[in-house]
Short mmCIF file of all heavy atoms in Angstrom, two decimals:
data_model
loop_
_atom_site.label_atom_id
_atom_site.label_comp_id
_atom_site.label_asym_id
_atom_site.label_seq_id
_atom_site.Cartn_x
_atom_site.Cartn_y
_atom_site.Cartn_z
N MET A 1 18.77 14.01 -5.01
CA MET A 1 19.19 13.84 -3.69
C MET A 1 18.80 15.09 -2.92
O MET A 1 18.69 16.24 -3.38
CB MET A 1 20.68 13.63 -3.59
CG MET A 1 21.10 13.05 -2.32
SD MET A 1 20.47 11.40 -1.95
CE MET A 1 21.55 10.34 -2.93
N SER A 2 18.52 15.00 -1.68
CA SER A 2 18.12 16.11 -0.81
C SER A 2 19.16 17.18 -0.72
O SER A 2 20.36 16.90 -0.87
CB SER A 2 17.78 15.55 0.68
OG SER A 2 16.72 14.65 0.59
N VAL A 3 18.68 18.43 -0.46
CA VAL A 3 19.58 19.52 -0.46
C VAL A 3 20.50 19.57 0.84
O VAL A 3 21.40 20.24 0.99
CB VAL A 3 18.87 20.86 -0.65
CG1 VAL A 3 18.15 20.88 -2.05
CG2 VAL A 3 17.74 21.04 0.49
N SER A 4 19.97 18.85 1.90
CA SER A 4 20.76 18.83 3.16
C SER A 4 20.56 17.42 3.76
O SER A 4 19.66 16.73 3.37
CB SER A 4 20.29 19.88 4.06
OG SER A 4 19.01 19.65 4.66
N GLU A 5 21.42 17.10 4.68
CA GLU A 5 21.38 15.85 5.22
C GLU A 5 20.06 15.53 5.95
O GLU A 5 19.62 14.42 6.02
CB GLU A 5 22.53 15.62 6.28
CG GLU A 5 22.63 14.23 6.89
CD GLU A 5 23.80 14.06 7.83
OE1 GLU A 5 23.59 14.31 9.04
OE2 GLU A 5 24.78 13.63 7.48
N ASN A 6 19.39 16.53 6.49
CA ASN A 6 18.20 16.37 7.25
C ASN A 6 16.85 16.80 6.46
O ASN A 6 15.82 17.05 7.06
CB ASN A 6 18.24 17.05 8.58
CG ASN A 6 19.26 16.56 9.51
OD1 ASN A 6 19.44 15.31 9.55
ND2 ASN A 6 19.94 17.35 10.30
N ALA A 7 17.01 16.83 5.18
CA ALA A 7 15.90 17.10 4.28
C ALA A 7 15.55 15.85 3.56
O ALA A 7 16.48 15.14 3.07
CB ALA A 7 16.14 18.23 3.35
N TYR A 8 14.31 15.47 3.48
CA TYR A 8 13.90 14.20 2.93
C TYR A 8 12.85 14.33 1.87
O TYR A 8 11.91 15.00 1.98
CB TYR A 8 13.47 13.20 4.07
CG TYR A 8 14.43 13.04 5.09
CD1 TYR A 8 14.25 13.69 6.39
CD2 TYR A 8 15.52 12.18 4.98
CE1 TYR A 8 15.17 13.55 7.42
CE2 TYR A 8 16.44 12.05 6.04
CZ TYR A 8 16.27 12.70 7.20
OH TYR A 8 17.17 12.51 8.17
N ARG A 9 13.15 13.68 0.70
CA ARG A 9 12.15 13.57 -0.35
C ARG A 9 11.62 12.13 -0.30
O ARG A 9 12.39 11.19 -0.54
CB ARG A 9 12.75 13.95 -1.75
CG ARG A 9 13.25 15.39 -1.76
CD ARG A 9 13.79 15.87 -3.12
NE ARG A 9 12.72 15.86 -4.05
CZ ARG A 9 12.43 14.86 -4.95
NH1 ARG A 9 13.17 13.86 -5.04
NH2 ARG A 9 11.39 15.01 -5.77
N ILE A 10 10.39 12.05 0.04
CA ILE A 10 9.71 10.75 0.26
C ILE A 10 8.63 10.47 -0.78
O ILE A 10 7.76 11.25 -0.87
CB ILE A 10 9.26 10.59 1.67
CG1 ILE A 10 10.42 10.79 2.68
CG2 ILE A 10 8.69 9.15 1.92
CD1 ILE A 10 9.98 10.87 4.15
N ALA A 50 5.83 8.68 6.72
CA ALA A 50 6.42 9.71 5.92
C ALA A 50 6.24 11.08 6.63
O ALA A 50 7.19 11.84 6.80
CB ALA A 50 5.89 9.71 4.53
N MET A 51 5.03 11.28 7.06
CA MET A 51 4.81 12.63 7.72
C MET A 51 5.59 12.76 9.03
O MET A 51 6.09 13.84 9.33
CB MET A 51 3.32 12.80 7.91
CG MET A 51 2.43 12.83 6.68
SD MET A 51 3.13 13.98 5.35
CE MET A 51 3.15 15.56 6.30
N GLN A 52 5.67 11.69 9.77
CA GLN A 52 6.46 11.80 10.96
C GLN A 52 7.91 12.08 10.79
O GLN A 52 8.58 12.80 11.50
CB GLN A 52 6.23 10.48 11.83
CG GLN A 52 4.89 10.34 12.36
CD GLN A 52 4.67 9.09 13.32
OE1 GLN A 52 5.74 8.52 13.67
NE2 GLN A 52 3.42 8.75 13.60
N ILE A 53 8.40 11.51 9.68
CA ILE A 53 9.77 11.81 9.32
C ILE A 53 10.04 13.26 9.03
O ILE A 53 11.03 13.91 9.46
CB ILE A 53 10.32 10.93 8.24
CG1 ILE A 53 10.29 9.42 8.67
CG2 ILE A 53 11.67 11.28 7.66
CD1 ILE A 53 10.52 8.42 7.51
N VAL A 54 9.20 13.86 8.15
CA VAL A 54 9.44 15.22 7.70
C VAL A 54 9.01 16.20 8.69
O VAL A 54 9.35 17.36 8.59
CB VAL A 54 8.73 15.50 6.35
CG1 VAL A 54 9.21 14.57 5.26
CG2 VAL A 54 7.16 15.37 6.39
N GLU A 55 8.20 15.77 9.71
CA GLU A 55 7.76 16.64 10.75
C GLU A 55 8.58 16.63 12.03
O GLU A 55 8.36 17.37 12.93
CB GLU A 55 6.27 16.42 11.12
CG GLU A 55 5.23 16.75 10.02
CD GLU A 55 3.91 16.36 10.36
OE1 GLU A 55 3.65 15.63 11.29
OE2 GLU A 55 2.98 16.75 9.54
N ALA A 56 9.57 15.69 12.03
CA ALA A 56 10.49 15.63 13.20
C ALA A 56 11.19 16.89 13.46
O ALA A 56 11.55 17.64 12.57
CB ALA A 56 11.39 14.43 12.99
N GLU A 57 11.57 17.06 14.70
CA GLU A 57 12.27 18.39 15.11
C GLU A 57 13.58 18.66 14.37
O GLU A 57 13.89 19.77 14.03
CB GLU A 57 12.53 18.37 16.62
CG GLU A 57 11.24 18.50 17.48
CD GLU A 57 11.57 18.64 18.94
OE1 GLU A 57 12.77 18.79 19.28
OE2 GLU A 57 10.65 18.66 19.70
N ASP A 58 14.36 17.59 14.08
CA ASP A 58 15.62 17.74 13.46
C ASP A 58 15.65 17.69 11.98
O ASP A 58 16.71 17.67 11.31
CB ASP A 58 16.61 16.74 14.02
CG ASP A 58 16.19 15.35 13.78
OD1 ASP A 58 14.94 15.11 13.39
OD2 ASP A 58 16.95 14.44 14.11
N THR A 59 14.36 17.69 11.35
CA THR A 59 14.31 17.59 9.94
C THR A 59 14.18 18.99 9.33
O THR A 59 13.56 19.90 9.81
CB THR A 59 12.99 16.77 9.50
OG1 THR A 59 13.14 15.43 9.91
CG2 THR A 59 12.74 16.81 7.97
N ASP A 60 14.83 19.12 8.17
CA ASP A 60 14.81 20.40 7.41
C ASP A 60 13.44 20.44 6.66
O ASP A 60 13.40 19.98 5.44
CB ASP A 60 15.95 20.50 6.49
CG ASP A 60 15.91 21.75 5.62
OD1 ASP A 60 15.05 22.60 5.77
OD2 ASP A 60 16.85 21.82 4.75
N ALA A 61 12.35 20.75 7.36
CA ALA A 61 11.03 20.60 6.75
C ALA A 61 10.81 21.48 5.56
O ALA A 61 10.07 21.03 4.63
CB ALA A 61 9.97 20.93 7.79
N ALA A 62 11.45 22.60 5.51
CA ALA A 62 11.25 23.50 4.33
C ALA A 62 11.72 22.88 3.02
O ALA A 62 11.19 23.18 1.97
CB ALA A 62 11.96 24.84 4.60
N ASN A 63 12.65 21.97 3.10
CA ASN A 63 13.28 21.36 1.93
C ASN A 63 12.82 19.90 1.81
O ASN A 63 13.39 19.16 0.99
CB ASN A 63 14.76 21.52 1.91
CG ASN A 63 15.19 22.91 1.63
OD1 ASN A 63 14.86 23.58 0.65
ND2 ASN A 63 15.93 23.47 2.60
N SER A 64 11.84 19.53 2.61
CA SER A 64 11.37 18.12 2.55
C SER A 64 10.08 18.03 1.86
O SER A 64 9.36 19.07 1.71
CB SER A 64 11.23 17.54 3.97
OG SER A 64 12.51 17.42 4.59
N ALA A 65 9.69 16.89 1.32
CA ALA A 65 8.43 16.73 0.58
C ALA A 65 8.04 15.29 0.63
O ALA A 65 8.95 14.34 0.53
CB ALA A 65 8.58 17.26 -0.85
N VAL A 66 6.67 15.06 0.68
CA VAL A 66 6.13 13.77 0.56
C VAL A 66 5.22 13.68 -0.63
O VAL A 66 4.28 14.51 -0.71
CB VAL A 66 5.24 13.37 1.87
CG1 VAL A 66 4.56 12.10 1.67
CG2 VAL A 66 6.24 13.38 3.05
N HIS A 89 2.24 16.21 0.30
CA HIS A 89 2.29 17.56 -0.34
C HIS A 89 1.82 17.55 -1.73
O HIS A 89 1.30 18.63 -2.22
CB HIS A 89 3.79 18.09 -0.30
CG HIS A 89 4.34 18.15 1.07
ND1 HIS A 89 5.12 17.16 1.64
CD2 HIS A 89 4.10 19.11 2.12
CE1 HIS A 89 5.41 17.52 2.87
NE2 HIS A 89 4.84 18.63 3.14
N ASP A 126 14.80 10.01 -1.41
CA ASP A 126 15.60 9.45 -0.34
C ASP A 126 14.92 8.15 0.23
O ASP A 126 15.65 7.21 0.54
CB ASP A 126 15.62 10.47 0.85
CG ASP A 126 16.36 11.80 0.37
OD1 ASP A 126 17.54 11.70 0.06
OD2 ASP A 126 15.64 12.83 0.33
N VAL A 163 14.54 7.34 11.18
CA VAL A 163 15.51 7.85 10.18
C VAL A 163 16.25 8.94 10.91
O VAL A 163 15.69 9.97 11.32
CB VAL A 163 14.76 8.41 8.94
CG1 VAL A 163 15.75 8.98 7.98
CG2 VAL A 163 14.00 7.24 8.31
N ALA A 164 17.61 8.88 10.87
CA ALA A 164 18.50 9.89 11.50
C ALA A 164 19.54 10.19 10.48
O ALA A 164 20.36 9.33 10.12
CB ALA A 164 19.00 9.42 12.78
N GLY A 165 19.55 11.44 9.98
CA GLY A 165 20.58 11.73 8.92
C GLY A 165 20.23 10.93 7.65
O GLY A 165 19.22 10.84 7.16
N ARG A 166 21.34 10.10 7.28
CA ARG A 166 21.20 9.20 6.12
C ARG A 166 21.04 7.79 6.48
O ARG A 166 21.13 6.86 5.66
CB ARG A 166 22.42 9.43 5.22
CG ARG A 166 22.78 10.91 4.88
CD ARG A 166 21.64 11.62 4.33
NE ARG A 166 21.25 11.09 3.03
CZ ARG A 166 20.16 11.42 2.43
NH1 ARG A 166 19.35 12.35 3.00
NH2 ARG A 166 19.72 10.91 1.26
#
Side-chain angles (χ1 to χ4, degrees):
M1 198 62 79
S2 297
V3 296
S4 71
E5 184 178 86
N6 292 327
Y8 303 103
R9 299 186 64 258
I10 304 175
M51 297 312 302
Q52 289 186 11
I53 292 169
V54 301
E55 292 172 352
E57 288 186 9
D58 57 349
T59 295
D60 179 2
N63 290 302
S64 297
V66 175
H89 301 99
D126 301 295
V163 178
R166 311 306 299 169

